mmCIF file of all heavy atoms in Angstrom:
data_model
loop_
_atom_site.group_PDB
_atom_site.id
_atom_site.type_symbol
_atom_site.label_atom_id
_atom_site.label_comp_id
_atom_site.label_asym_id
_atom_site.label_seq_id
_atom_site.Cartn_x
_atom_site.Cartn_y
_atom_site.Cartn_z
ATOM 1 N N HIS A 6 -22.988 12.292 73.367
ATOM 2 C CA HIS A 6 -23.104 12.208 71.904
ATOM 3 C C HIS A 6 -24.022 13.327 71.403
ATOM 4 O O HIS A 6 -24.966 13.093 70.654
ATOM 5 C CB HIS A 6 -23.623 10.832 71.476
ATOM 6 C CG HIS A 6 -22.660 9.726 71.775
ATOM 7 N ND1 HIS A 6 -21.608 9.396 70.954
ATOM 8 C CD2 HIS A 6 -22.577 8.891 72.844
ATOM 9 C CE1 HIS A 6 -20.928 8.393 71.479
ATOM 10 N NE2 HIS A 6 -21.488 8.078 72.624
ATOM 11 N N ALA A 7 -23.702 14.548 71.871
ATOM 12 C CA ALA A 7 -24.591 15.682 71.594
ATOM 13 C C ALA A 7 -23.822 16.913 71.150
ATOM 14 O O ALA A 7 -24.237 18.043 71.406
ATOM 15 C CB ALA A 7 -25.407 15.999 72.852
ATOM 16 N N SER A 8 -22.691 16.707 70.464
ATOM 17 C CA SER A 8 -21.896 17.860 70.029
ATOM 18 C C SER A 8 -22.495 18.563 68.825
ATOM 19 O O SER A 8 -22.272 19.757 68.629
ATOM 20 C CB SER A 8 -20.465 17.402 69.697
ATOM 21 O OG SER A 8 -19.794 16.977 70.855
ATOM 22 N N ASN A 9 -23.240 17.836 68.009
ATOM 23 C CA ASN A 9 -23.849 18.419 66.811
ATOM 24 C C ASN A 9 -25.285 18.810 67.133
ATOM 25 O O ASN A 9 -26.155 17.948 67.351
ATOM 26 C CB ASN A 9 -23.806 17.402 65.666
ATOM 27 C CG ASN A 9 -24.299 17.978 64.358
ATOM 28 O OD1 ASN A 9 -25.354 18.601 64.298
ATOM 29 N ND2 ASN A 9 -23.549 17.749 63.287
ATOM 30 N N ASP A 10 -25.565 20.112 67.161
ATOM 31 C CA ASP A 10 -26.895 20.574 67.574
ATOM 32 C C ASP A 10 -27.979 20.242 66.555
ATOM 33 O O ASP A 10 -29.154 20.135 66.912
ATOM 34 C CB ASP A 10 -26.875 22.081 67.834
ATOM 35 C CG ASP A 10 -26.238 22.429 69.169
ATOM 36 O OD1 ASP A 10 -26.076 21.522 69.994
ATOM 37 O OD2 ASP A 10 -25.901 23.605 69.382
ATOM 38 N N TRP A 11 -27.633 20.099 65.285
ATOM 39 C CA TRP A 11 -28.631 19.685 64.299
ATOM 40 C C TRP A 11 -29.102 18.263 64.609
ATOM 41 O O TRP A 11 -30.294 17.982 64.650
ATOM 42 C CB TRP A 11 -28.044 19.724 62.887
ATOM 43 C CG TRP A 11 -27.473 21.046 62.485
ATOM 44 C CD1 TRP A 11 -27.872 22.278 62.906
ATOM 45 C CD2 TRP A 11 -26.393 21.262 61.576
ATOM 46 N NE1 TRP A 11 -27.118 23.257 62.321
ATOM 47 C CE2 TRP A 11 -26.204 22.673 61.485
ATOM 48 C CE3 TRP A 11 -25.579 20.421 60.813
ATOM 49 C CZ2 TRP A 11 -25.211 23.230 60.670
ATOM 50 C CZ3 TRP A 11 -24.594 20.983 59.998
ATOM 51 C CH2 TRP A 11 -24.425 22.369 59.929
ATOM 52 N N ILE A 12 -28.123 17.372 64.828
ATOM 53 C CA ILE A 12 -28.464 15.979 65.128
ATOM 54 C C ILE A 12 -29.180 15.888 66.468
ATOM 55 O O ILE A 12 -30.146 15.121 66.621
ATOM 56 C CB ILE A 12 -27.190 15.111 65.123
ATOM 57 C CG1 ILE A 12 -26.600 15.067 63.704
ATOM 58 C CG2 ILE A 12 -27.475 13.712 65.633
ATOM 59 C CD1 ILE A 12 -25.263 14.354 63.601
ATOM 60 N N LEU A 13 -28.731 16.675 67.435
ATOM 61 C CA LEU A 13 -29.379 16.666 68.750
ATOM 62 C C LEU A 13 -30.837 17.099 68.642
ATOM 63 O O LEU A 13 -31.727 16.494 69.260
ATOM 64 C CB LEU A 13 -28.630 17.582 69.711
ATOM 65 C CG LEU A 13 -29.264 17.742 71.089
ATOM 66 C CD1 LEU A 13 -29.207 16.439 71.866
ATOM 67 C CD2 LEU A 13 -28.616 18.865 71.877
ATOM 68 N N THR A 14 -31.105 18.142 67.854
ATOM 69 C CA THR A 14 -32.485 18.617 67.692
ATOM 70 C C THR A 14 -33.355 17.523 67.088
ATOM 71 O O THR A 14 -34.489 17.280 67.540
ATOM 72 C CB THR A 14 -32.515 19.865 66.817
ATOM 73 O OG1 THR A 14 -31.652 20.851 67.373
ATOM 74 C CG2 THR A 14 -33.931 20.427 66.719
ATOM 75 N N ARG A 15 -32.835 16.874 66.067
ATOM 76 C CA ARG A 15 -33.596 15.778 65.443
ATOM 77 C C ARG A 15 -33.838 14.651 66.448
ATOM 78 O O ARG A 15 -34.916 14.052 66.484
ATOM 79 C CB ARG A 15 -32.837 15.240 64.227
ATOM 80 C CG ARG A 15 -33.582 14.156 63.472
ATOM 81 C CD ARG A 15 -32.866 13.818 62.172
ATOM 82 N NE ARG A 15 -33.620 12.857 61.392
ATOM 83 C CZ ARG A 15 -33.404 11.550 61.402
ATOM 84 N NH1 ARG A 15 -32.431 11.038 62.148
ATOM 85 N NH2 ARG A 15 -34.149 10.742 60.655
ATOM 86 N N ARG A 16 -32.838 14.371 67.289
ATOM 87 C CA ARG A 16 -33.000 13.322 68.297
ATOM 88 C C ARG A 16 -34.067 13.697 69.319
ATOM 89 O O ARG A 16 -34.883 12.854 69.721
ATOM 90 C CB ARG A 16 -31.658 13.080 68.992
ATOM 91 C CG ARG A 16 -31.619 11.836 69.865
ATOM 92 C CD ARG A 16 -30.188 11.511 70.224
ATOM 93 N NE ARG A 16 -29.723 12.229 71.395
ATOM 94 C CZ ARG A 16 -28.448 12.425 71.688
ATOM 95 N NH1 ARG A 16 -27.508 11.982 70.871
ATOM 96 N NH2 ARG A 16 -28.091 13.068 72.786
ATOM 97 N N LEU A 17 -34.083 14.951 69.739
ATOM 98 C CA LEU A 17 -35.104 15.397 70.685
ATOM 99 C C LEU A 17 -36.499 15.302 70.079
ATOM 100 O O LEU A 17 -37.461 14.914 70.759
ATOM 101 C CB LEU A 17 -34.809 16.831 71.118
ATOM 102 C CG LEU A 17 -33.681 17.007 72.137
ATOM 103 C CD1 LEU A 17 -33.185 18.445 72.147
ATOM 104 C CD2 LEU A 17 -34.146 16.593 73.532
ATOM 105 N N LEU A 18 -36.628 15.639 68.803
ATOM 106 C CA LEU A 18 -37.917 15.496 68.127
ATOM 107 C C LEU A 18 -38.353 14.035 68.099
ATOM 108 O O LEU A 18 -39.522 13.709 68.380
ATOM 109 C CB LEU A 18 -37.825 16.042 66.701
ATOM 110 C CG LEU A 18 -37.730 17.563 66.561
ATOM 111 C CD1 LEU A 18 -37.353 17.940 65.133
ATOM 112 C CD2 LEU A 18 -39.055 18.211 66.949
ATOM 113 N N ALA A 19 -37.403 13.144 67.773
ATOM 114 C CA ALA A 19 -37.736 11.716 67.699
ATOM 115 C C ALA A 19 -38.164 11.180 69.055
ATOM 116 O O ALA A 19 -39.070 10.338 69.152
ATOM 117 C CB ALA A 19 -36.540 10.939 67.157
ATOM 118 N N LEU A 20 -37.515 11.665 70.125
ATOM 119 C CA LEU A 20 -37.895 11.219 71.475
ATOM 120 C C LEU A 20 -39.327 11.623 71.804
ATOM 121 O O LEU A 20 -39.978 10.992 72.651
ATOM 122 C CB LEU A 20 -36.934 11.802 72.514
ATOM 123 C CG LEU A 20 -35.520 11.216 72.530
ATOM 124 C CD1 LEU A 20 -34.609 12.025 73.455
ATOM 125 C CD2 LEU A 20 -35.556 9.756 72.986
ATOM 126 N N CYS A 21 -39.813 12.677 71.152
ATOM 127 C CA CYS A 21 -41.198 13.116 71.349
ATOM 128 C C CYS A 21 -42.131 12.548 70.290
ATOM 129 O O CYS A 21 -43.287 12.977 70.156
ATOM 130 C CB CYS A 21 -41.263 14.640 71.345
ATOM 131 S SG CYS A 21 -40.386 15.411 72.724
ATOM 132 N N GLY A 22 -41.628 11.587 69.500
ATOM 133 C CA GLY A 22 -42.468 10.913 68.512
ATOM 134 C C GLY A 22 -42.621 11.629 67.195
ATOM 135 O O GLY A 22 -43.504 11.277 66.405
ATOM 136 N N VAL A 23 -41.751 12.619 66.929
ATOM 137 C CA VAL A 23 -41.838 13.375 65.677
ATOM 138 C C VAL A 23 -40.596 13.076 64.839
ATOM 139 O O VAL A 23 -39.474 13.405 65.249
ATOM 140 C CB VAL A 23 -41.944 14.889 65.940
ATOM 141 C CG1 VAL A 23 -41.956 15.662 64.628
ATOM 142 C CG2 VAL A 23 -43.191 15.190 66.762
ATOM 143 N N GLU A 24 -40.777 12.444 63.701
ATOM 144 C CA GLU A 24 -39.663 12.093 62.819
ATOM 145 C C GLU A 24 -39.547 13.131 61.701
ATOM 146 O O GLU A 24 -40.504 13.369 60.958
ATOM 147 C CB GLU A 24 -39.873 10.705 62.222
ATOM 148 C CG GLU A 24 -39.864 9.571 63.253
ATOM 149 C CD GLU A 24 -38.483 9.337 63.860
ATOM 150 O OE1 GLU A 24 -37.481 9.820 63.265
ATOM 151 O OE2 GLU A 24 -38.400 8.693 64.921
ATOM 152 N N VAL A 25 -38.391 13.754 61.596
ATOM 153 C CA VAL A 25 -38.129 14.766 60.572
ATOM 154 C C VAL A 25 -36.764 14.479 59.965
ATOM 155 O O VAL A 25 -35.826 14.104 60.684
ATOM 156 C CB VAL A 25 -38.144 16.196 61.165
ATOM 157 C CG1 VAL A 25 -37.972 17.231 60.064
ATOM 158 C CG2 VAL A 25 -39.432 16.446 61.946
ATOM 159 N N GLU A 26 -36.615 14.654 58.667
ATOM 160 C CA GLU A 26 -35.330 14.453 58.022
ATOM 161 C C GLU A 26 -34.302 15.455 58.557
ATOM 162 O O GLU A 26 -34.638 16.622 58.826
ATOM 163 C CB GLU A 26 -35.455 14.611 56.508
ATOM 164 C CG GLU A 26 -36.270 13.526 55.834
ATOM 165 C CD GLU A 26 -35.618 12.155 55.969
ATOM 166 O OE1 GLU A 26 -34.360 12.092 55.935
ATOM 167 O OE2 GLU A 26 -36.358 11.162 56.121
ATOM 168 N N LEU A 27 -33.061 14.994 58.694
ATOM 169 C CA LEU A 27 -32.014 15.855 59.229
ATOM 170 C C LEU A 27 -31.831 17.099 58.372
ATOM 171 O O LEU A 27 -31.609 18.203 58.906
ATOM 172 C CB LEU A 27 -30.696 15.080 59.322
ATOM 173 C CG LEU A 27 -29.494 15.864 59.853
ATOM 174 C CD1 LEU A 27 -29.746 16.375 61.261
ATOM 175 C CD2 LEU A 27 -28.227 15.006 59.814
ATOM 176 N N GLU A 28 -31.941 16.969 57.059
ATOM 177 C CA GLU A 28 -31.766 18.128 56.184
ATOM 178 C C GLU A 28 -32.793 19.208 56.482
ATOM 179 O O GLU A 28 -32.476 20.409 56.476
ATOM 180 C CB GLU A 28 -31.877 17.703 54.713
ATOM 181 C CG GLU A 28 -30.737 16.834 54.226
ATOM 182 C CD GLU A 28 -30.861 15.378 54.680
ATOM 183 O OE1 GLU A 28 -31.903 15.027 55.283
ATOM 184 O OE2 GLU A 28 -29.918 14.605 54.441
ATOM 185 N N GLU A 29 -34.030 18.829 56.769
ATOM 186 C CA GLU A 29 -35.077 19.801 57.063
ATOM 187 C C GLU A 29 -34.842 20.447 58.432
ATOM 188 O O GLU A 29 -35.031 21.662 58.598
ATOM 189 C CB GLU A 29 -36.449 19.130 57.016
ATOM 190 C CG GLU A 29 -37.632 20.054 57.242
ATOM 191 C CD GLU A 29 -37.773 21.130 56.163
ATOM 192 O OE1 GLU A 29 -37.075 21.073 55.136
ATOM 193 O OE2 GLU A 29 -38.589 22.043 56.382
#
């Protein structure tokens, strides 16, 4: 479930405890 690199980047940030809006 990693075809969209924008969503994947946000997911990787969240896994490290950093929440950022997808638009940003």
